[in-house]
Amino acid sequence: MIDTLTHYMLNQDLWSSGHRVTIDYLALTQQILAQQVTTSLVDNIKDTWDSLLETGQLWAFLIGLGVGWWIRSILPS
């Protein structure tokens, strides 16, 4: 489909001779979108969780949460 599209776009004789070129944009869009869907939500969540553990961001968040709670408890409301 993309080869056909490229052929019609680059062929100057078709444009200058007045031929009408029609392109099925819906089929082209579906083909392109279907080729880009290769990820898994579960894999993305697992990778993010592993990254949080490896970099220590999870521990930093939990310590910050605890310190914030402690400071809130000692300050007057």
Side-chain angles (χ1 to χ4, degrees):
M1 179 75 173
I2 294 176
D3 294 334
T4 305
L5 177 63
T6 305
H7 169 74
Y8 283 120
M9 292 178 75
L10 296 178
N11 194 343
Q12 295 295 325
D13 295 333
L14 290 174
W15 294 106
S16 61
S17 64
H19 285 97
R20 186 166 191 185
V21 178
T22 59
I23 300 169
D24 187 1
Y25 288 107
L26 183 59
L28 181 63
T29 304
Q30 289 174 347
Q31 182 181 9
I32 291 172
L33 289 177
Q35 291 175 354
Q36 293 177 351
V37 178
T38 58
T39 59
S40 168
L41 180 62
V42 175
D43 288 339
N44 286 343
I45 292 172
K46 182 183 176 300
D47 291 342
T48 302
W49 181 257
D50 290 342
S51 175
L52 283 173
L53 292 177
E54 287 175 10
T55 59
Q57 292 178 1
L58 180 63
W59 293 112
F61 172 73
L62 293 175
I63 291 169
L65 194 63
V67 169
W69 196 315
W70 175 70
I71 289 174
R72 190 185 84 179
S73 69
I74 63 173
L75 291 176
S77 25

